[in-house]
Amino acid sequence: MTQLFNDPAAFADEALEGFVAAHRRWVRPVPGGVVRAAARVPGQVAVVVGGGSGHYPAFSGLVGQGLAHGAAVGNVFASPSARQVRQVAKAAEAGGGVLLTFGNYAGDVLHFGQAADQLRAEGVDVRVLPVTDDVSSASPEEAHKRRGVAGDLAVFKVAGAAAERGLPLDEVTRLAELANARTRSFGVALSGCTLPGADEPLFTVDPGRLALGLGIHGEPGMGERDVPSADETAELLVGTLLAELPPGVDGTAGQRAAVILNGLGAVKYEELFVVYRRVAELLGEAGVEIVDPEVGELVTSFDMAGVSLTLCWLTDELEPLWTAPADAPAYRKGSVAAPAAATPADDEPAAAAEQDALPAADDDSRRAARRVLAALAAVRATVDEHVDELGRIDAVAGDGDHGIGMRRGSHAAHEAAADAVARGAGAATTLDLAAAAWADRAGGTSGALWGVILGSIGSALGDTGRPTPEAVASGVAGAAAGVQRLGKAEVGDKTMVDALVPFADALGEAVATGAPLATAWDTAASAAEAAAAATAELLPRMGRARPHAEKSLGTPDAGAHSLALITRAVQRTLADKEVD
Ligand code: ADP
Ligand code: MG
């Protein structure tokens, strides 16, 4: 149980504030996360890592010389937004380009990918590397779909050391990719974790049982067995990893490997050492030479009682990068030369304020913006009402954060829209600012996709004139296309697309018959509701729920369900003559 907190919604921000206060020698805060306190080294590649909060020392604790240059820090178990990643990358960037590397989760892939596009458009050379070490999350044939867990550290360490040597971006990326291709992890859990403020754990493991193949967000395990002894646990971990040697590793005898035995949060260091004692024996028996092992908490999951083993099969190139000195708040090795102090120039990109003059709007569009605001208030209210239900549905096969993510997003969008309306914005600008706020604050896959939805509808409405039903329908059609373009899900994959596409189609058809917007939207909302309910019979093929596909049969998709709830809430505001 995570017990010490103030407002649970402020937990991640407050933890980051305290972390920075305690580690000023290493890091300084920038919008979106932290970067090294030291001066940037001109021409050096910047290694920017990141992910959700709740995994300390990942990710902020790994920022320092020889390791990461910056970390984008998301909310509890939620990816940082594209904007956060971009802000941290700009503050870390020193002219040598940027490597964005993070655990392979749908939300992180989306947000880091969007940030990479934006940075490239601004002329920054960027490479993107999702870490895929967790063998229990996909088969070897689909190794690129695997999640990233404690193997993050091996990849970040190699990338950071390569950057420190002054290697160019292509080389740093090649070496980090090589490390990722040769890193494998496997974990087990004795209990789930409880997020700050939650009444119940995200998942539970029956007493006396051990869950195999846990994910660091508490995604349910792949199987169970009786709790083994520490030695048997070591045998399970080592046996699993030796059974799947990465391509290029022929047999174990004579191999050299970096070894990480990672505690997930509630396993004592002494317990880890008892397990490690046997891990070292077993690897020795297999003829594996252990290089600079790490035993401790490297990637955690709040108070989850679990342990994972990571092997990074070294090469002559990788070994010196793994053993190179590093000095970060939560990871120190050897001794590094004292870095130069930061200069005011290091603060420039972080301090550069974003431009915020509003485009001109006419009265008709301002009136439409007020309706948009009323609709967003209804969205916020319906999300608040269903927040626990959405979390529960997402927890069946995903990570349980859909409710809190939607709440953060819808509140941020409503606040941004209220501010925009107060400043006289038109409908397009109001929706555009609401979209950016939603994507920035919500995190998760759905946060980025809701940003696309609001933004697409906004651009169809414009800032002048009274929006026609045709314009709204074409905005919604654009939203459906945009979500599919960004998320790459198709109808039938068990995602929000399954509700959004029928909604857009029904709206388009009803508007084409000449129906008024309120009537057409009503028909379309019914289509969305029916389609969302029908997702209960589908198997997920995208997103976090995919590794636990069969568990979700009988439960609708969380994102499709929330979308249906939202379309209905908006319909009520369209029917409401009071709003003008
Ligand atoms: P996360 O999956 O990052 O935890 P949320 O829990 O907020 O994000 O949202 C989960 C929902 O997002 C899923 O129920 C699904 O509807 C939607 N989703 C996930 N991946 C995709 C995708 N690639 N395309 C469209 N929708 C997706
Ligand atoms: Mg989720």
Side-chain angles (χ1 to χ4, degrees), residues 507-519:
L507 186 65
E509 279 164 31
V511 164
T513 65
L517 183 61
T519 315

Side-chain angles (χ1 to χ4, degrees), residues 77 394-395 398-403 444-446 544 558:
F77 283 10
D394 188 33
D399 53 4
D401 64 351
H402 189 58
T445 314
S446 62
R544 280 209 186 131

